Amino acid sequence: MSYTFSILSPLDVPLFTHDFGTSRSGGDGVARYTPAERAMVPFILHSSLDIVEEVQWGPSTSAGSAPMYLKHIDKYQNCFVSCWITAGNTRFLLLTRPRDEALGLGGAAGGQRGSLAGGRAGMGGLYNPSAPATEEAVKNFFVDVYEAWLKTIMNPFFHVGNGDVVKSPVFRQRVATAAKKYL
């Protein structure tokens, strides 16, 4: 599977983007997008912001506030988008592009297995973004990245409101570590 993780400011300015592949179950951690898919990724992520805002400003939960983890919110062709919203209205978007064999589109090698986030248990090998294992893995990834994000924005020289781009190699490494651990 291939993933693109992106952080967008409250004004929809991209602050951070990281592409990676699955590292679990024999994956090498390299994103495998075709050139056409790679060109479409920013458009897919930005188009999902309309749905994020509908959910964010829509009816609240019984607790009286909208949740931070919005789960699987959008699908475009074979790509799935999940979202996490911080208290400062910064959006974390994770685009998941399963391998064709995980979608049941053929080309499967008999011994290949998907990641924990693939949600493949009980699905006959098909990717299911709303499977409990998938949702739990994505949520845990977002929680780890959110903790790293909080440490990053506590830096007095970093201002999210100004659209500062995250250039910290430590933050990038923490995102990669969380991806390797959960996805």
Side-chain angles (χ1 to χ4, degrees):
M1 276 196 247
S2 298
Y3 299 93
T4 297
F5 173 70
S6 188
I7 299 177
L8 299 169
S9 76
L11 300 174
D12 301 337
V13 176
L15 303 175
F16 178 83
T17 300
H18 183 63
D19 294 332
F20 55 92
T22 188
S23 295
R24 300 186 63 88
S25 301
D28 59 1
V30 176
R32 305 216 190 289
Y33 290 113
T34 65
E37 288 173 337
R38 186 166 303 285
M40 289 297 296
V41 165
F43 296 106
I44 295 168
L45 290 174
H46 274 68
S47 71
S48 68
L49 289 175
D50 293 335
I51 297 169
V52 170
E53 289 182 7
E54 282 180 25
V55 173
Q56 179 182 8
W57 302 114
S60 62
T61 62
S62 61
S65 64
M68 293 177 90
Y69 176 51
L70 301 182
K71 301 182 182 181
H72 164 71
I73 59 162
D74 196 12
K75 179 181 189 281
Y76 177 79
Q77 293 180 347
N78 297 333
C79 299
F80 301 91
V81 180
S82 301
C83 181
W84 176 282
I85 301 177
T86 68
N89 200 26
T90 302
R91 278 72 53 96
F92 296 176
L93 297 174
L94 179 68
L95 181 124
T96 305
R97 169 55 169 93
R99 292 187 303 247
D100 289 341
E101 63 269 14
L103 292 167
L105 299 176
Q112 288 186 336
R113 298 180 51 87
S115 69
L116 175 64
R120 296 174 64 147
M123 291 299 297
L126 298 179
Y127 179 79
N128 181 5
S130 59
T134 305
E135 288 183 356
E136 188 66 24
V138 172
K139 181 180 180 183
N140 288 337
F141 168 75
F142 278 138
V143 167
D144 279 10
V145 171
Y146 182 59
E147 289 176 11
W149 174 252
L150 290 176
K151 292 175 184 175
T152 300
I153 65 172
M154 286 176 26
N155 180 344
F157 300 109
F158 182 80
H159 302 286
V160 176
N162 294 342
D164 287 354
V165 176
V166 180
K167 297 177 185 173
S168 169
V170 173
F171 181 75
R172 185 170 297 278
Q173 181 58 40
R174 288 184 179 165
V175 170
T177 301
K180 191 173 189 177
K181 183 176 181 182
Y182 296 112
L183 304 175

